[in-house]
Structure formats: C-alpha cells, structure tokens
Amino acid sequence: MAYLAPRLGQSRVFIPGVSAFRLLGTLGMADMGLAGSRSPLERLDFDNVALKKLPLDSSEEPGQRQVKGACFSLVKPQPLTKPRFVAVSHEALALLGLSGEEVMNDPLGPEYLSGSKVMPGSEPAAHCYCGHQFGQFAGQLGDGAACYLGEVKVPPGQDPELLRENPSGRWEIQVKGAGLTPFSRTADGRKVLRSSIREFLCSEVMFFLGVPTTRAGSVVTSDSKVVRDVYYSGNPRHERCSVVVRIAPTFLRFGSFEIFKRADEHTGRQGPSYGRDEIRGQMLDYVIEMFYPEIQQNHPDRVERNVAFFKEVMRRTARLVALWQCVGFCHGVLNTDNMSILGLTLDYGPYGFMDRFDPDFICNASDNSGRYSYQAQPAICRWNLVKLAEALAPELPPDRAEAVMDEYLDLYNGFYLENMRKKLGLLKKDEPEDEILITELLQTMHNTGADFTNTFRSLSQISCPTEGQSEEEDELVKKATDLLLEQCASSEELKAANKPTMDPRELAMLLSMAQSNPALFQMISDRTTIARQLERLSKLKDLMETSQEELKTQQAEEWSHWITRYRKRLAREMEGQSDARAAQEERVTVMDSANPRVVLRNYIAQNAIEAAENGDFSEVQRVLKVLEKPFSSQPGLELPAWVGGGPATERGVRDEGEEQLRESASTARSPVPYDSKPPAWAHEICVT
C-alpha cells in the first residue's frame, strides 16, 4: 500500500515554495502579509467527516464515564508547559502538505502538535471503542490518551497511488498524550518521553520496512511532569509529559464495532451502545464508503457488500501479520482494540524486534502466559478476526463469516512463503520443498541462537553454485558456515536465554498441583506455561554439560548441513539461466531489499531515549535518519553519536537521584553499530 511502503523519490507533494506561491496566488494583496506570517499549521484544510457521519457525544463533562450511543466524544486537550520538539518526520508531515523544516522552525509548532493550542478547523474528540484484552471482553475502553484532532484534506499534487490507496482523500491526525478524556479510566491521559519516542520511531521504521502502519509526524516534550513507576517496583519517578502526533486514513479498529456487544458470558461486561444496532449499520456504511469505495460500488446487495468488506479486512490482516513474522516484529498487545480496520500496524506499546531467534519470543514483560508471543501472532490475529465477525452480526451473517475465515490460513501461508522466498533469494521457481527449507533454517537459527535480522541479511553473501565448482564446494560451505557462526549465540548467552523465568520451588509446586488438584492448577496456571519452563530447564542442563568449543562445533555442523541443502536449491534456481551472473546479481538485489540491515532494536531505542532524557535530542533524529533507509549502508551513520554518560544540558531540572541512576547504568557502555547484534546490557531492558 502506497502510504505504507516507501515510494521511489523524495517528493510526494508540491515543494513548499510552489505550494506557498499557489496559496498566495489565491489571496488579495492586502492578505499577503498576513498569510506569510501565519503558522503553516494554521493553513491546514480540515474536513472532519467522521464527526459528521458518526454519532457524536457533545458533552464535555470531565472525568471517566460510560459513553452511550456515540462513536466520539468532544474533549479539551490539556496544555503542556513549555512544549518543544524532540523530532519530526519530514516524510510523514509531507502527507499533510507540510514541510518538516517549516514546522520545526514554527514557534507555534510544538503548541499545535501537542494539543496545547487548537489549530483552526480542528475539533478535538476521543473515540469510543471496546476490546477483548488477553482473551477477555473488557467492556468500554476508548481513547484514554489519544485525541482526534480532525481530518486534513489531501494536499494538491499528492502521489496518485497514495490517493488510490487512501481513497477517503483525507488524513486523520491524532495527538497521543494530550490529557484526560472520558475513556482515561484511572489514568491521567498523559504519555512520557520514552513511550512517545518508541512509538514515533517504530511507526516510521515500519513504513520504511514496507509494513502497513500508521505514521508518526512528530514528538513534543515539555516541562510538565507526571509520576510513573516504570517497572511497578515501588520506585516511582517524575517524567516529562510528551506527545506524539499520529497520522492515518482512520484509527478505527476492530474494537470500534464491539461497543454494541451484549453482556459477555464470562466477564458480564457489555458494550456501552448495546441495542443500538442502527449505529452499527451507520459505522459500517461509513467505513466501507470512505475506505473501501470499490466494494461499495461493486456490491449493490448489502449482505454481499458486507461479506466482501470482511473478506478484504481478513486479507489485509493476514498480509500484515505475515510481514511482521518476516521482519521479526512482535506487537506485544494484540487485543481486538489494537487491530486496525484497514490492516495497519496500530498502537505501538511494548513491541519488540527479535534479536536472537526464538519462536516463543515475548516482547511484553506483562504477558506472563505468552498469549502474544511471536509464533502466536498469526493465530491471535485469526482469533481477533472471529471477534470482529461476531461484532458485525447480524449485518454479517455468521455462516458467511465462517466461510471467509476458512480461507485465512491458506492466505497467511501464501503471503508468508512469498516473502520468505524473497528473503532466501528463491525467485525463479516455487518448489514444494521450499517450505521445509525455510522451516529448517528457522530451526537451525533457534538451535544455534542466531540473530534473526543479521542472519537473513548475511544469506545474500552465500554464493550460487556454478559449473566447474564441485572441487571447491567444501571450501565454499565452510566459508558460508563461518559467516553465519558470527551471528550465533555463545554458551553464556544461551544459558542466560534458557534460564527458567519461574522460581524452581513455584515450578515444583505447580507440577505437584497439576497431578493432585487439576481444577485448582487450571485456575492459576496452564500446561503450556509449565511445558515451556521444563523445556528451558532441559536445554539449560544440556548447555551446562557442553563447553564453548563443543557448542561451536555443534553449531558449525548444523549450519553446514543447512547451507549444503540451500546451495543445492540455489543450483536449481540457476538451471536454464543463460546469464548466470545477471541472475546472481538479481538475487542479491532482491534479498538485500527484503532483508533489512537495521531494525529498531530495543537497545537502539533505549540509547536514544536516554539521550533525550538527558536533554540531547540529536540521537532520536539520528536514529530516524538511519531507519529511513533500513536496507542500505549509510556512511557516517554507522554508530550512535550519543552513548550513555555524556554531558546533559538539562541536569539542573532533574532530581539528583534520578540523574545518578541513569549515569551509573550507562557509564560502562561502548558505542555499538546500529547493525550489530545487541550488546550485553541490552538483555536487561524490560518493556511492559
């Protein structure tokens, strides 16, 4: 999708000078001085169709409340003290016809893009939605910290492909962290610097990786403070209130349709608009007419239209999760309220890109059961689609929805294999054995603790066999094996990775309980969790009995076996190719454009966050620049410019204890290249 994957060339809209000239050309001479002095954000052309087409709760009554019979509630964003920019994305702001440079230099920019000041034409509102969280219906949730500012008309000159894939002709703008809404529950509606930087950077890197995503235009921080206990450890600290600007065609989600749900049989909760079926039909009409106009035009029968819509949402979701799996991305909180109705990656919280490949990778430290682990994501997305289908009934007949869902697994597998073949450079032929080759690669990566991103990136350096090369085969396999061994984990790293997360006494108690009192056991644990702990114990025992030299020999044998099989498959790729060199060059080009050199690893984000918390925003901007070209090497941008322990420009405004904590944690660090395996300290990062 065009707004989800980068286009060739930098320009998507008229360059600022041309846009300004055309704007001025429509004004009288007396207005020209006024127009020239206005903030570029005051010239945005708002057309807030969602608030016109969907029921709006006009009450601005403060505090948490149930919002019945409405999809949005008007809100008043709460101003920040001394808001200032941390970073902007020039590419994302260009969607709105804005120049990033102009916005950065605009004195009113931080105020407008933090919600501290309301732009002309903006109508701040919070969206009401529900959701299944960790498998249980939670009732009303809604935008507890996010705030809809309005919808900006697509500027003149925007890429026609972009218009085709965002057919509404408008971009919705949100600010996240602008204060209380009716849906804030017991929270304060604020976000802090670390979470805002993480969302900003990941929104943008996903776009440049070619993964469907919402966008992020800017991050603003301030002198306003809130208290946060980061690890729920009883050690709260003051953190700066910060706001990220998010951009998408719409932020409607699966949970938007769950506000009509009857009382849940397990939790007893029901949607705030239960019984208001006419609003469900209204919202369905709005979504299809605005964002799926071809379906609206091609299906005059309402039921057939709704089935076609659900099928397209299913297809986009299957494609999305397949792309996540192929770049090693784990969302962390795949609740139904975090699933976009357009098939975009939505709501970046405790996400993570895998370092060492582990199918059980859990990026969210709060996910004790592993419900949202890496390997669970395709099945969880299917589960969420089933919940969407239930929410759309009776507009979507259950039997028709079930028939659509029968296609999900095959669609997902097709998208996944298509992308994995590109990552392995298998371009000329589709062979049934390819799936086995891919599975064996992942198993070898798991067994050897290989780095996910760097291992795939290295595969293009493994050469295709050519005629007359048979006597060199052993040497070439050894060379390729040595290359991949560099990405494997050491004995100590694997021991740390396989250390059980459960106390041995607790594990023993649960094992005994599973035998003696199965009913009680099921209330407090599950067999999958226990099996995972036992598997870790078994692997740890084997590692304790294996030396580093023995481990490396085992790893070399495993890789040698897989590489031999891989090269045989590459040889079949070359069969019938008249120009072997051209075919090899094409393979390398495709692989290097499918396997990123750099992704937003936790340690890269953490280093940028710590720099920003010390008053140095340059590392956030530098990381963004690196991530804008994740498949390329960028001379001069190999290493971070800021590594913990450097000078801080704002120490006078921070608690002394807080400053000492940060410095002691970072003084021992050395610069690590952005495309490197994570340093040892990265394993201590905990994201909840």
mmCIF file of all heavy atoms in Angstrom, residues 334-374:
data_model
loop_
_atom_site.group_PDB
_atom_site.id
_atom_site.type_symbol
_atom_site.label_atom_id
_atom_site.label_comp_id
_atom_site.label_asym_id
_atom_site.label_seq_id
_atom_site.Cartn_x
_atom_site.Cartn_y
_atom_site.Cartn_z
ATOM 1 N N LEU A 334 -1.774 -7.660 21.234
ATOM 2 C CA LEU A 334 -2.695 -7.850 20.117
ATOM 3 C C LEU A 334 -4.124 -8.075 20.599
ATOM 4 O O LEU A 334 -4.755 -9.086 20.298
ATOM 5 C CB LEU A 334 -2.236 -9.019 19.243
ATOM 6 C CG LEU A 334 -1.176 -8.676 18.194
ATOM 7 C CD1 LEU A 334 -0.800 -9.925 17.411
ATOM 8 C CD2 LEU A 334 -1.686 -7.602 17.243
ATOM 9 N N ASN A 335 -4.638 -7.102 21.347
ATOM 10 C CA ASN A 335 -6.039 -7.110 21.730
ATOM 11 C C ASN A 335 -6.878 -6.656 20.536
ATOM 12 O O ASN A 335 -6.366 -6.018 19.611
ATOM 13 C CB ASN A 335 -6.271 -6.176 22.917
ATOM 14 C CG ASN A 335 -5.430 -6.551 24.124
ATOM 15 O OD1 ASN A 335 -5.197 -7.725 24.383
ATOM 16 N ND2 ASN A 335 -4.971 -5.555 24.859
ATOM 17 N N THR A 336 -8.189 -6.910 20.574
ATOM 18 C CA THR A 336 -9.030 -6.505 19.453
ATOM 19 C C THR A 336 -9.077 -4.990 19.304
ATOM 20 O O THR A 336 -9.320 -4.474 18.208
ATOM 21 C CB THR A 336 -10.470 -7.040 19.596
ATOM 22 O OG1 THR A 336 -11.016 -6.596 20.846
ATOM 23 C CG2 THR A 336 -10.493 -8.559 19.530
ATOM 24 N N ASP A 337 -8.830 -4.260 20.381
ATOM 25 C CA ASP A 337 -8.844 -2.795 20.288
ATOM 26 C C ASP A 337 -7.547 -2.247 19.703
ATOM 27 O O ASP A 337 -7.441 -1.031 19.483
ATOM 28 C CB ASP A 337 -9.097 -2.173 21.665
ATOM 29 C CG ASP A 337 -8.124 -2.661 22.724
ATOM 30 O OD1 ASP A 337 -8.222 -3.837 23.103
ATOM 31 O OD2 ASP A 337 -7.265 -1.879 23.162
ATOM 32 N N ASN A 338 -6.584 -3.115 19.421
ATOM 33 C CA ASN A 338 -5.330 -2.677 18.800
ATOM 34 C C ASN A 338 -5.182 -3.209 17.375
ATOM 35 O O ASN A 338 -4.075 -3.275 16.847
ATOM 36 C CB ASN A 338 -4.129 -3.128 19.636
ATOM 37 C CG ASN A 338 -4.067 -2.424 20.980
ATOM 38 O OD1 ASN A 338 -4.546 -1.303 21.121
ATOM 39 N ND2 ASN A 338 -3.498 -3.077 21.980
ATOM 40 N N MET A 339 -6.293 -3.595 16.764
ATOM 41 C CA MET A 339 -6.285 -4.133 15.404
ATOM 42 C C MET A 339 -7.006 -3.157 14.480
ATOM 43 O O MET A 339 -8.203 -2.892 14.639
ATOM 44 C CB MET A 339 -6.991 -5.496 15.366
ATOM 45 C CG MET A 339 -6.333 -6.581 16.201
ATOM 46 S SD MET A 339 -4.824 -7.250 15.473
ATOM 47 C CE MET A 339 -5.476 -8.059 14.014
ATOM 48 N N SER A 340 -6.279 -2.626 13.499
ATOM 49 C CA SER A 340 -6.828 -1.625 12.582
ATOM 50 C C SER A 340 -7.826 -2.229 11.609
ATOM 51 O O SER A 340 -7.613 -3.314 11.067
ATOM 52 C CB SER A 340 -5.687 -0.971 11.804
ATOM 53 O OG SER A 340 -6.163 -0.295 10.657
ATOM 54 N N ILE A 341 -8.910 -1.494 11.339
ATOM 55 C CA ILE A 341 -9.911 -1.940 10.381
ATOM 56 C C ILE A 341 -9.378 -1.816 8.952
ATOM 57 O O ILE A 341 -9.970 -2.342 8.010
ATOM 58 C CB ILE A 341 -11.223 -1.140 10.558
ATOM 59 C CG1 ILE A 341 -12.421 -1.926 10.029
ATOM 60 C CG2 ILE A 341 -11.125 0.231 9.904
ATOM 61 C CD1 ILE A 341 -12.775 -3.128 10.841
ATOM 62 N N LEU A 342 -8.209 -1.165 8.784
ATOM 63 C CA LEU A 342 -7.577 -1.046 7.469
ATOM 64 C C LEU A 342 -6.391 -1.992 7.301
ATOM 65 O O LEU A 342 -5.728 -1.969 6.271
ATOM 66 C CB LEU A 342 -7.096 0.395 7.238
ATOM 67 C CG LEU A 342 -8.155 1.498 7.262
ATOM 68 C CD1 LEU A 342 -7.522 2.840 6.906
ATOM 69 C CD2 LEU A 342 -9.292 1.187 6.312
ATOM 70 N N GLY A 343 -6.104 -2.800 8.311
ATOM 71 C CA GLY A 343 -4.970 -3.716 8.203
ATOM 72 C C GLY A 343 -3.637 -3.022 8.391
ATOM 73 O O GLY A 343 -2.642 -3.393 7.763
ATOM 74 N N LEU A 344 -3.587 -2.009 9.268
ATOM 75 C CA LEU A 344 -2.347 -1.293 9.573
ATOM 76 C C LEU A 344 -1.816 -1.731 10.935
ATOM 77 O O LEU A 344 -2.588 -2.112 11.814
ATOM 78 C CB LEU A 344 -2.588 0.220 9.619
ATOM 79 C CG LEU A 344 -3.375 0.863 8.479
ATOM 80 C CD1 LEU A 344 -3.544 2.353 8.738
ATOM 81 C CD2 LEU A 344 -2.690 0.619 7.158
ATOM 82 N N THR A 345 -0.514 -1.628 11.131
ATOM 83 C CA THR A 345 0.044 -1.803 12.468
ATOM 84 C C THR A 345 -0.387 -0.594 13.290
ATOM 85 O O THR A 345 -0.170 0.551 12.895
ATOM 86 C CB THR A 345 1.570 -1.900 12.437
ATOM 87 O OG1 THR A 345 1.967 -2.807 11.410
ATOM 88 C CG2 THR A 345 2.108 -2.388 13.764
ATOM 89 N N LEU A 346 -0.976 -0.859 14.446
ATOM 90 C CA LEU A 346 -1.625 0.194 15.229
ATOM 91 C C LEU A 346 -1.226 0.091 16.697
ATOM 92 O O LEU A 346 -1.141 -1.010 17.240
ATOM 93 C CB LEU A 346 -3.147 0.037 15.093
ATOM 94 C CG LEU A 346 -4.062 0.942 15.893
ATOM 95 C CD1 LEU A 346 -3.975 2.374 15.370
ATOM 96 C CD2 LEU A 346 -5.508 0.452 15.801
ATOM 97 N N ASP A 347 -0.996 1.230 17.328
ATOM 98 C CA ASP A 347 -0.735 1.315 18.769
ATOM 99 C C ASP A 347 0.565 0.600 19.158
ATOM 100 O O ASP A 347 0.569 -0.586 19.509
ATOM 101 C CB ASP A 347 -1.904 0.752 19.579
ATOM 102 C CG ASP A 347 -3.093 1.698 19.586
ATOM 103 O OD1 ASP A 347 -2.950 2.828 19.104
ATOM 104 O OD2 ASP A 347 -4.164 1.305 20.073
ATOM 105 N N TYR A 348 1.653 1.350 19.115
ATOM 106 C CA TYR A 348 2.973 0.811 19.449
ATOM 107 C C TYR A 348 3.234 0.975 20.946
ATOM 108 O O TYR A 348 3.511 2.066 21.418
ATOM 109 C CB TYR A 348 4.049 1.525 18.632
ATOM 110 C CG TYR A 348 3.987 1.223 17.160
ATOM 111 C CD1 TYR A 348 3.253 2.014 16.286
ATOM 112 C CD2 TYR A 348 4.659 0.129 16.629
ATOM 113 C CE1 TYR A 348 3.192 1.736 14.929
ATOM 114 C CE2 TYR A 348 4.605 -0.166 15.273
ATOM 115 C CZ TYR A 348 3.867 0.650 14.430
ATOM 116 O OH TYR A 348 3.812 0.367 13.085
ATOM 117 N N GLY A 349 3.132 -0.122 21.661
ATOM 118 C CA GLY A 349 3.385 -0.105 23.096
ATOM 119 C C GLY A 349 4.622 -0.925 23.423
ATOM 120 O O GLY A 349 5.734 -0.563 23.052
ATOM 121 N N PRO A 350 4.446 -2.073 24.071
ATOM 122 C CA PRO A 350 5.597 -2.907 24.443
ATOM 123 C C PRO A 350 6.046 -3.828 23.323
ATOM 124 O O PRO A 350 6.250 -5.025 23.513
ATOM 125 C CB PRO A 350 5.061 -3.697 25.644
ATOM 126 C CG PRO A 350 3.610 -3.852 25.342
ATOM 127 C CD PRO A 350 3.191 -2.582 24.653
ATOM 128 N N TYR A 351 6.183 -3.289 22.115
ATOM 129 C CA TYR A 351 6.600 -4.083 20.955
ATOM 130 C C TYR A 351 8.083 -4.448 21.052
ATOM 131 O O TYR A 351 8.829 -3.929 21.907
ATOM 132 C CB TYR A 351 6.364 -3.282 19.670
ATOM 133 C CG TYR A 351 7.236 -2.054 19.572
ATOM 134 C CD1 TYR A 351 8.554 -2.142 19.119
ATOM 135 C CD2 TYR A 351 6.769 -0.801 19.952
ATOM 136 C CE1 TYR A 351 9.365 -1.020 19.056
ATOM 137 C CE2 TYR A 351 7.578 0.324 19.883
ATOM 138 C CZ TYR A 351 8.870 0.210 19.439
ATOM 139 O OH TYR A 351 9.686 1.319 19.384
ATOM 140 N N GLY A 352 8.534 -5.291 20.146
ATOM 141 C CA GLY A 352 9.959 -5.600 20.082
ATOM 142 C C GLY A 352 10.313 -6.301 18.788
ATOM 143 O O GLY A 352 9.526 -7.106 18.274
ATOM 144 N N PHE A 353 11.481 -5.975 18.257
ATOM 145 C CA PHE A 353 12.053 -6.746 17.154
ATOM 146 C C PHE A 353 12.950 -7.814 17.777
ATOM 147 O O PHE A 353 13.763 -7.519 18.659
ATOM 148 C CB PHE A 353 12.876 -5.849 16.229
ATOM 149 C CG PHE A 353 12.060 -4.987 15.315
ATOM 150 C CD1 PHE A 353 11.648 -3.732 15.725
ATOM 151 C CD2 PHE A 353 11.696 -5.421 14.050
ATOM 152 C CE1 PHE A 353 10.893 -2.917 14.896
ATOM 153 C CE2 PHE A 353 10.938 -4.625 13.206
ATOM 154 C CZ PHE A 353 10.534 -3.368 13.632
ATOM 155 N N MET A 354 12.799 -9.047 17.304
ATOM 156 C CA MET A 354 13.608 -10.134 17.843
ATOM 157 C C MET A 354 15.088 -9.921 17.594
ATOM 158 O O MET A 354 15.485 -9.492 16.514
ATOM 159 C CB MET A 354 13.215 -11.462 17.189
ATOM 160 C CG MET A 354 12.267 -12.270 18.012
ATOM 161 S SD MET A 354 12.168 -13.972 17.414
ATOM 162 C CE MET A 354 11.717 -13.740 15.724
ATOM 163 N N ASP A 355 15.905 -10.233 18.576
ATOM 164 C CA ASP A 355 17.354 -10.304 18.369
ATOM 165 C C ASP A 355 17.684 -11.768 18.045
ATOM 166 O O ASP A 355 17.638 -12.169 16.904
ATOM 167 C CB ASP A 355 18.087 -9.801 19.614
ATOM 168 C CG ASP A 355 17.829 -8.321 19.867
ATOM 169 O OD1 ASP A 355 17.823 -7.542 18.895
ATOM 170 O OD2 ASP A 355 17.626 -7.937 21.027
ATOM 171 N N ARG A 356 17.985 -12.556 19.060
ATOM 172 C CA ARG A 356 18.211 -13.991 18.872
ATOM 173 C C ARG A 356 16.879 -14.645 18.515
ATOM 174 O O ARG A 356 15.869 -14.405 19.159
ATOM 175 C CB ARG A 356 18.761 -14.572 20.184
ATOM 176 C CG ARG A 356 18.962 -16.067 20.210
ATOM 177 C CD ARG A 356 19.415 -16.510 21.604
ATOM 178 N NE ARG A 356 18.540 -15.989 22.640
ATOM 179 C CZ ARG A 356 17.365 -16.511 22.962
ATOM 180 N NH1 ARG A 356 16.920 -17.594 22.336
ATOM 181 N NH2 ARG A 356 16.628 -15.969 23.915
ATOM 182 N N PHE A 357 16.874 -15.483 17.456
ATOM 183 C CA PHE A 357 15.607 -16.072 17.029
ATOM 184 C C PHE A 357 15.074 -17.047 18.062
ATOM 185 O O PHE A 357 15.756 -17.982 18.483
ATOM 186 C CB PHE A 357 15.741 -16.798 15.687
ATOM 187 C CG PHE A 357 14.453 -17.467 15.278
ATOM 188 C CD1 PHE A 357 13.356 -16.702 14.919
ATOM 189 C CD2 PHE A 357 14.321 -18.844 15.304
ATOM 190 C CE1 PHE A 357 12.148 -17.300 14.568
ATOM 191 C CE2 PHE A 357 13.127 -19.456 14.953
ATOM 192 C CZ PHE A 357 12.040 -18.673 14.585
ATOM 193 N N ASP A 358 13.828 -16.813 18.467
ATOM 194 C CA ASP A 358 13.144 -17.682 19.413
ATOM 195 C C ASP A 358 11.658 -17.617 19.091
ATOM 196 O O ASP A 358 11.036 -16.561 19.232
ATOM 197 C CB ASP A 358 13.386 -17.201 20.849
ATOM 198 C CG ASP A 358 12.673 -18.065 21.883
ATOM 199 O OD1 ASP A 358 12.024 -19.059 21.494
ATOM 200 O OD2 ASP A 358 12.754 -17.738 23.084
ATOM 201 N N PRO A 359 11.067 -18.716 18.617
ATOM 202 C CA PRO A 359 9.644 -18.670 18.271
ATOM 203 C C PRO A 359 8.753 -18.300 19.449
ATOM 204 O O PRO A 359 7.648 -17.795 19.257
ATOM 205 C CB PRO A 359 9.350 -20.086 17.759
ATOM 206 C CG PRO A 359 10.480 -20.936 18.233
ATOM 207 C CD PRO A 359 11.666 -20.033 18.357
ATOM 208 N N ASP A 360 9.236 -18.530 20.664
ATOM 209 C CA ASP A 360 8.470 -18.182 21.868
ATOM 210 C C ASP A 360 8.777 -16.774 22.367
ATOM 211 O O ASP A 360 8.399 -16.415 23.488
ATOM 212 C CB ASP A 360 8.746 -19.184 22.994
ATOM 213 C CG ASP A 360 8.158 -20.557 22.703
ATOM 214 O OD1 ASP A 360 7.050 -20.608 22.132
ATOM 215 O OD2 ASP A 360 8.804 -21.569 23.028
ATOM 216 N N PHE A 361 9.452 -15.979 21.553
ATOM 217 C CA PHE A 361 9.829 -14.617 21.945
ATOM 218 C C PHE A 361 8.616 -13.830 22.428
ATOM 219 O O PHE A 361 7.590 -13.746 21.748
ATOM 220 C CB PHE A 361 10.473 -13.910 20.758
ATOM 221 C CG PHE A 361 10.735 -12.439 20.960
ATOM 222 C CD1 PHE A 361 11.603 -12.001 21.945
ATOM 223 C CD2 PHE A 361 10.111 -11.502 20.154
ATOM 224 C CE1 PHE A 361 11.854 -10.652 22.130
ATOM 225 C CE2 PHE A 361 10.356 -10.140 20.323
ATOM 226 C CZ PHE A 361 11.224 -9.713 21.312
ATOM 227 N N ILE A 362 8.722 -13.268 23.627
ATOM 228 C CA ILE A 362 7.675 -12.429 24.213
ATOM 229 C C ILE A 362 8.292 -11.056 24.458
ATOM 230 O O ILE A 362 9.252 -10.929 25.229
ATOM 231 C CB ILE A 362 7.156 -13.015 25.543
ATOM 232 C CG1 ILE A 362 6.552 -14.408 25.310
ATOM 233 C CG2 ILE A 362 6.125 -12.085 26.181
ATOM 234 C CD1 ILE A 362 6.252 -15.162 26.594
ATOM 235 N N CYS A 363 7.762 -10.039 23.805
ATOM 236 C CA CYS A 363 8.357 -8.705 23.949
ATOM 237 C C CYS A 363 7.760 -7.928 25.110
ATOM 238 O O CYS A 363 8.368 -6.972 25.597
ATOM 239 C CB CYS A 363 8.193 -7.916 22.651
ATOM 240 S SG CYS A 363 6.467 -7.703 22.148
ATOM 241 N N ASN A 364 6.580 -8.327 25.565
ATOM 242 C CA ASN A 364 5.865 -7.615 26.624
ATOM 243 C C ASN A 364 6.078 -8.342 27.941
ATOM 244 O O ASN A 364 5.582 -9.455 28.131
ATOM 245 C CB ASN A 364 4.374 -7.548 26.269
ATOM 246 C CG ASN A 364 3.535 -6.855 27.329
ATOM 247 O OD1 ASN A 364 4.043 -6.383 28.336
ATOM 248 N ND2 ASN A 364 2.231 -6.802 27.103
ATOM 249 N N ALA A 365 6.802 -7.714 28.857
ATOM 250 C CA ALA A 365 7.116 -8.367 30.128
ATOM 251 C C ALA A 365 5.874 -8.647 30.959
ATOM 252 O O ALA A 365 5.921 -9.442 31.904
ATOM 253 C CB ALA A 365 8.088 -7.493 30.931
ATOM 254 N N SER A 366 4.747 -8.011 30.618
ATOM 255 C CA SER A 366 3.495 -8.255 31.351
ATOM 256 C C SER A 366 2.736 -9.472 30.823
ATOM 257 O O SER A 366 1.750 -9.893 31.428
ATOM 258 C CB SER A 366 2.583 -7.024 31.249
ATOM 259 O OG SER A 366 3.247 -5.865 31.678
ATOM 260 N N ASP A 367 3.174 -10.023 29.685
ATOM 261 C CA ASP A 367 2.487 -11.160 29.059
ATOM 262 C C ASP A 367 3.038 -12.457 29.637
ATOM 263 O O ASP A 367 3.821 -13.163 29.002
ATOM 264 C CB ASP A 367 2.676 -11.096 27.542
ATOM 265 C CG ASP A 367 1.922 -12.197 26.799
ATOM 266 O OD1 ASP A 367 1.140 -12.927 27.448
ATOM 267 O OD2 ASP A 367 2.125 -12.325 25.579
ATOM 268 N N ASN A 368 2.605 -12.786 30.845
ATOM 269 C CA ASN A 368 3.174 -13.936 31.547
ATOM 270 C C ASN A 368 2.832 -15.265 30.888
ATOM 271 O O ASN A 368 3.590 -16.226 30.980
ATOM 272 C CB ASN A 368 2.680 -13.942 33.002
ATOM 273 C CG ASN A 368 3.149 -12.719 33.771
ATOM 274 O OD1 ASN A 368 4.290 -12.296 33.628
ATOM 275 N ND2 ASN A 368 2.262 -12.139 34.566
ATOM 276 N N SER A 369 1.697 -15.335 30.200
ATOM 277 C CA SER A 369 1.283 -16.601 29.603
ATOM 278 C C SER A 369 1.832 -16.796 28.194
ATOM 279 O O SER A 369 1.733 -17.891 27.640
ATOM 280 C CB SER A 369 -0.252 -16.666 29.548
ATOM 281 O OG SER A 369 -0.759 -15.720 28.617
ATOM 282 N N GLY A 370 2.396 -15.733 27.586
ATOM 283 C CA GLY A 370 2.891 -15.835 26.227
ATOM 284 C C GLY A 370 1.784 -15.830 25.187
ATOM 285 O O GLY A 370 1.977 -16.272 24.057
ATOM 286 N N ARG A 371 0.620 -15.298 25.568
ATOM 287 C CA ARG A 371 -0.510 -15.259 24.620
ATOM 288 C C ARG A 371 -0.133 -14.529 23.339
ATOM 289 O O ARG A 371 -0.553 -14.916 22.253
ATOM 290 C CB ARG A 371 -1.712 -14.574 25.277
ATOM 291 C CG ARG A 371 -2.907 -14.402 24.335
ATOM 292 C CD ARG A 371 -4.079 -13.709 25.021
ATOM 293 N NE ARG A 371 -5.162 -13.437 24.077
ATOM 294 C CZ ARG A 371 -6.114 -14.300 23.732
ATOM 295 N NH1 ARG A 371 -6.111 -15.514 24.281
ATOM 296 N NH2 ARG A 371 -7.053 -13.984 22.863
ATOM 297 N N TYR A 372 0.670 -13.470 23.464
ATOM 298 C CA TYR A 372 1.013 -12.648 22.307
ATOM 299 C C TYR A 372 2.474 -12.831 21.883
ATOM 300 O O TYR A 372 3.117 -11.899 21.414
ATOM 301 C CB TYR A 372 0.717 -11.176 22.606
ATOM 302 C CG TYR A 372 -0.751 -10.904 22.876
ATOM 303 C CD1 TYR A 372 -1.159 -10.000 23.843
ATOM 304 C CD2 TYR A 372 -1.737 -11.571 22.148
ATOM 305 C CE1 TYR A 372 -2.507 -9.753 24.077
ATOM 306 C CE2 TYR A 372 -3.084 -11.334 22.380
ATOM 307 C CZ TYR A 372 -3.466 -10.421 23.356
ATOM 308 O OH TYR A 372 -4.804 -10.188 23.570
ATOM 309 N N SER A 373 2.983 -14.040 22.044
ATOM 310 C CA SER A 373 4.349 -14.331 21.630
ATOM 311 C C SER A 373 4.477 -14.241 20.115
ATOM 312 O O SER A 373 3.474 -14.232 19.383
ATOM 313 C CB SER A 373 4.767 -15.734 22.091
ATOM 314 O OG SER A 373 4.039 -16.721 21.374
ATOM 315 N N TYR A 374 5.706 -14.225 19.635
ATOM 316 C CA TYR A 374 5.970 -14.117 18.200
ATOM 317 C C TYR A 374 5.233 -15.191 17.402
ATOM 318 O O TYR A 374 4.504 -14.895 16.454
ATOM 319 C CB TYR A 374 7.481 -14.207 17.958
ATOM 320 C CG TYR A 374 7.872 -14.385 16.516
ATOM 321 C CD1 TYR A 374 7.893 -13.305 15.641
ATOM 322 C CD2 TYR A 374 8.235 -15.640 16.023
ATOM 323 C CE1 TYR A 374 8.252 -13.472 14.304
ATOM 324 C CE2 TYR A 374 8.596 -15.814 14.693
ATOM 325 C CZ TYR A 374 8.606 -14.731 13.840
ATOM 326 O OH TYR A 374 8.955 -14.897 12.525
#
